[in-house]
Amino acid sequence: FADHEAGVIGAAHAGWKGTMNGVLEATVEAMERLGARRDRIAVAIGPTISQRAYEVGPEFMDALLAEDPPAARFFANGNG
């Protein structure tokens, strides 16, 4: 995260639980308290784990789909 004009940078690490519980939003809010403006913040994301290399339980899928039903396309049946 970087607001170049304000000279404020931030970094966040969040797995799925942190992401669902607002880690990214909290990072932006902390930056704003230091003078950043959210409309000027540029963000880079990576690296991320791939679908083929990460298995999740039904509680993850249920929680994510309750927030974002179209995200179903990101899930694959790992039993096959």
Side-chain angles (χ1 to χ4, degrees), residues 8-51:
V8 177
I9 61 170
H13 177 269
W16 75 267
K17 289 179 184 177
T19 300
M20 296 288 288
N21 287 312
V23 168
L24 306 177
E25 292 85 348
T27 302
V28 170
E29 290 166 5
M31 291 176 67
E32 288 178 318
R33 287 192 297 274
L34 296 171
R37 281 193 5 215
R38 67 180 56 222
D39 63 325
R40 293 191 310 230
I41 296 173
V43 178
I45 300 174
T48 61
I49 196 159
S50 69
Q51 182 186 59

Side-chain angles (χ1 to χ4, degrees), residues 16 51 54-62 74-76:
W16 75 267
Q51 182 186 59
Y54 192 71
E55 188 172 323
V56 297
E59 73 284 352
F60 171 78
M61 189 169 110
D62 294 344
F74 298 118
F75 294 92

